[in-house]
Amino acid sequence: MNNAASKVTVVGSGISGAVCACTLARNGISVTLFDSARGPGGRMSQRRETSEDGNEMLFDHGAPFFTVTNNDVLALVREWESGGLVAEWKVNLGSFDRVSKKFVNIQQDGMNKKYVGVPGMNSICKALCHQPGVESKFGVGVGRFEWLEDKNLWSVSGLDGQSLGQFNGVVASDKNVVSPRFRDVTGRPPPLDLTFAPDLAVKLEEIPVNPCFALMLAFSKPLSPIPVKGFSFQDSEVLSWAHCDSSKPGRSAHSERWVLHSTADYARTVIAQTGLQKPSEATLKKVAEEMFQEFQGTGLSIPLPIFRKAHRWYRRSNITCRGSAFPAASIAKEERCLWDVKKRLAICGDFCVSPNVEGAILSGLAAASKLTEILSCL
């Protein structure tokens, strides 16, 4: 079998899965991508909201930007930049010391290039998921993967049991597809049973994660007391990060929009009180109020916003809110992805290499390389 006749399914349309799918397609492999969400992006998603006066607002409520150190990733980013999908975010970042109420450790623009998707972080994933050779199916949850020994193929079915097709290889870029924790949240076994690959199953058993709440804010006027466009918080039990989303290239300047991220400890406390289910409106309103009060408590003369809404990043499945927790460990730094050669199964994501956008890209490239190599030999 040559590459042109090979079919691979990629589950998950975050940057790791999107990069993998596009790379496979460029190597002549037919790719079908499934994602239960309405669109691509994962933690690079862009949130669309409407203010009380009817104006549309967009927020990068997950990854605010990314940096690049690897040459392979840099080559991709330059390609995306030339295509208008990526631009450099030329701003100063720093930290805010809540004790002294001063900004410290301000990094001047140019020290480390910061890249963002244009006009949103999810623009990269959108483009990759619609490359020639990639058929993307959103709003489609995978219920089960089954290895057909007699056919040497994977059979994939949806949540309703209907067949989604047969494939020569599988890429799982959403770790919840194979995670034992899937049962804790959904009451059902994970779609992909890894009993045939106990070594991989062990690595995926306990990946520590950092839950997070994001608070999206819009103001009618610029927050002039803040001298930087992104900063971390020192000595805050509630807030870890804030950035001015509307300062990025290609964004609307109709209002000044900020995104705040909570600390993992604060998010864990809320989850311990409310449970794993999708948070109620009352919970999200309470979180929004507490996070905003902490923001105001900086003494930076923060006015009341014209828009305020919280979102929970915790765990992704078909019955919980969209959004996966941020990984707190890496399980395949050397290999960059988990791989079973006999069944042609790759598992990729930022949890394999490093918990950031660059790590996710590297893992997606590694998964594509493994499958391209083995499929060329069929």
Side-chain angles (χ1 to χ4, degrees):
M1 182 183 299
N2 57 37
N3 281 3
S6 299
K7 295 174 62 178
V8 168
T9 181
V10 176
V11 181
S13 65
I15 189 65
S16 192
V19 165
C20 181
C22 178
T23 305
L24 287 168
R26 287 186 173 185
N27 283 291
I29 296 170
S30 176
V31 179
T32 303
L33 184 147
F34 297 107
D35 198 307
S36 58
R38 290 175 296 177
R43 281 191 298 278
M44 293 184 74
S45 297
Q46 188 177 57
R47 186 73 171 256
R48 189 182 303 272
E49 298 288 349
T50 304
S51 62
E52 289 186 357
D53 59 4
N55 285 301
E56 182 182 79
M57 298 176 295
L58 301 174
F59 296 89
D60 293 330
H61 61 315
F65 66 94
F66 64 97
T67 58
V68 178
T69 58
N70 178 273
N71 287 333
D72 291 335
V73 177
L74 184 59
L76 272 182
V77 171
R78 284 174 174 165
E79 178 185 329
W80 299 339
E81 197 172 15
S82 65
L85 297 175
V86 165
E88 188 180 348
W89 188 29
K90 298 181 179 181
V91 293
N92 297 338
L93 305 181
S95 297
F96 182 78
D97 187 339
R98 291 190 79 257
V99 176
S100 66
K101 295 190 181 299
K102 293 181 179 180
F103 284 92
V104 297
N105 303 323
I106 295 180
Q107 301 173 1
Q108 298 299 315
D109 174 41
M111 293 181 65
N112 292 300
K113 287 188 175 182
K114 298 168 284 292
Y115 296 99
V116 297
V118 178
M121 289 296 284
N122 65 345
S123 301
I124 307 168
C125 296
K126 279 184 177 179
L128 298 179
C129 289
H130 292 93
Q131 288 290 309
V134 180
E135 181 183 10
S136 295
K137 297 185 178 182
F138 297 104
V140 179
V142 172
R144 187 184 179 196
F145 295 89
E146 182 182 3
W147 176 252
L148 305 177
E149 196 71 47
D150 57 333
K151 294 184 177 181
N152 198 31
L153 294 172
W154 284 98
S155 174
V156 181
S157 56
L159 293 171
D160 57 2
Q162 294 295 311
S163 174
L164 297 177
Q166 295 183 353
F167 302 90
N168 302 103
V170 165
V171 178
S173 69
D174 179 357
K175 63 179 178 295
N176 294 303
V177 169
V178 294
S179 173
R181 293 180 177 181
F182 186 89
R183 189 187 297 272
D184 298 337
V185 181
T186 66
R188 296 182 282 108
L192 182 55
D193 184 353
L194 285 180
T195 53
F196 66 86
D199 291 344
L200 301 189
V202 167
K203 291 184 177 182
L204 288 160
E205 274 182 2
E206 292 297 333
I207 301 176
V209 294
N210 289 324
C212 174
F213 281 94
L215 178 61
M216 297 165 283
L217 300 170
F219 299 90
S220 58
K221 296 181 180 179
L223 302 186
S224 54
I226 301 179
V228 293
K229 296 304 181 183
F231 60 96
S232 60
F233 290 85
Q234 295 182 8
D235 302 311
S236 174
E237 295 181 359
V238 178
L239 296 178
S240 66
W241 169 260
H243 79 271
C244 181
D245 206 49
S246 53
S247 69
K248 297 175 183 177
R251 271 62 171 180
S252 167
H254 177 74
S255 60
E256 178 154 301
R257 297 177 302 284
W258 283 75
V259 175
L260 279 57
H261 283 183
S262 76
T263 63
D265 285 344
Y266 171 80
R268 289 191 189 98
T269 299
V270 175
I271 292 168
Q273 295 169 351
T274 60
L276 296 177
Q277 70 275 12
K278 181 178 180 179
S280 66
E281 287 300 316
T283 295
L284 291 175
K285 285 182 179 180
K286 182 174 183 292
V287 166
E289 178 64 26
E290 291 175 348
M291 290 179 66
F292 182 68
Q293 285 182 354
E294 184 76 359
F295 195 30
Q296 283 190 313
T298 57
L300 295 171
S301 301
I302 307 297
L304 290 175
I306 58 174
F307 176 85
R308 180 173 69 185
K309 192 171 186 178
H311 168 86
R312 187 183 77 174
W313 291 101
Y314 181 62
R315 179 171 299 178
R316 187 173 174 188
S317 75
N318 295 300
I319 65 169
T320 61
C321 67
R322 177 186 171 99
S324 180
F326 296 84
S330 304
I331 61 174
K333 283 189 175 182
E334 296 299 323
E335 303 87 351
R336 296 183 175 175
C337 70
L338 301 182
W339 172 243
D340 184 278
V341 64
K342 293 182 179 178
K343 300 270 194 308
R344 300 186 293 278
L345 166 68
I347 301 170
C348 64
D350 53 4
F351 55 92
C352 288
V353 183
S354 56
N356 52 39
V357 173
E358 183 175 32
I361 293 172
L362 284 170
S363 190
L365 288 172
S369 176
K370 294 286 188 183
L371 277 162
T372 299
E373 182 180 1
I374 195 67
L375 290 174
S376 67
C377 298
L378 291 181

